[in-house]
Amino acid sequence: MEHYKVLNKTEFNDLYDMFKHLVYVLNKYAVEWVATDGTLLGAVRHGGFIPWDDDIDIAIKKSSFFLLKHLEYILTKAYKYELVTVGKYCKLKYDKVWIDIFLLDDDYSFPQKHFKNLSFIGDELKPIRKCKFYDLDINIPNKAEEYLTRILPGWNETAIIYNHRVKKKISLKLTDELRLPYPIE
């Protein structure tokens, strides 16, 4: 498993701390958000961070972006993070790690054409429910398992190992070892 990890312990701790701070700020200021992509998969399947992942993914409504921009002061001054707009989404960055913050249209769809298949359908998203991500309670879609089955067929039998640094997909049968989250101390 060590071979597939892309974040060292310091980077992982930085990313996890950044996620805890972001969750705290978003919840404190009542910004509706939900875990997506690898973060959602990690929460549901691993109970934490997928060991071979290299970022955190969340989504908020595009209409909440202005509130997020107001909260940027807290995120940059208190925690030394940088909020960067990248096309139709933004990144909260610190050193070599980042959190992707996708901005959903009012109908909870992804505005990017190449992400349309990730858009929430019917009651997949709401009501948002809680899920453990290590010691954090994070927001996940109402029907997270059904949503994952639609967008990632075989998500509970196959580990698809991919990250931004390696840029190579490897598929492995999901074993008990591959279901373990990145270990925290």
Side-chain angles (χ1 to χ4, degrees), residues 42-61:
V44 172
R45 188 173 73 189
H46 301 261
F49 199 71
I50 298 172
W52 53 87
D53 204 353
D54 58 2
D55 68 350
I56 295 282
D57 303 294
I58 70 162
I60 65 172
K61 282 180 73 173

Side-chain angles (χ1 to χ4, degrees), residues 12-23:
F12 169 77
N13 288 335
D14 288 345
L15 183 58
Y16 189 54
D17 287 344
M18 186 168 42
F19 190 39
K20 287 194 286 190
H21 296 146
L22 180 61
V23 166

Side-chain angles (χ1 to χ4, degrees), residues 37-119:
D37 303 326
T39 305
L40 173 60
L41 180 60
V44 172
R45 188 173 73 189
H46 301 261
F49 199 71
I50 298 172
W52 53 87
D53 204 353
D54 58 2
D55 68 350
I56 295 282
D57 303 294
I58 70 162
I60 65 172
K61 282 180 73 173
K62 199 181 304 181
S63 57
S64 297
F65 178 68
F66 296 107
L67 180 53
L68 182 64
K69 287 300 284 180
H70 288 301
L71 298 175
E72 181 178 11
Y73 179 80
I74 295 168
L75 296 168
T76 57
K77 297 300 180 203
Y79 302 119
K80 309 291 187 230
Y81 304 144
E82 178 185 12
L83 186 65
V84 179
T85 303
V86 182
K88 296 179 180 177
Y89 71 104
C90 51
K91 289 182 178 283
L92 187 63
K93 297 172 68 174
Y94 179 77
D95 197 19
K96 296 178 183 174
V97 295
W98 68 91
I99 297 174
D100 285 332
I101 304 172
F102 295 98
L103 307 174
L104 302 178
D105 289 334
D106 286 340
D107 64 352
Y108 300 103
S109 65
F110 286 78
Q112 299 92 334
K113 288 179 184 172
H114 59 286
F115 287 158
K116 283 296 181 190
N117 66 316
L118 302 179
S119 296

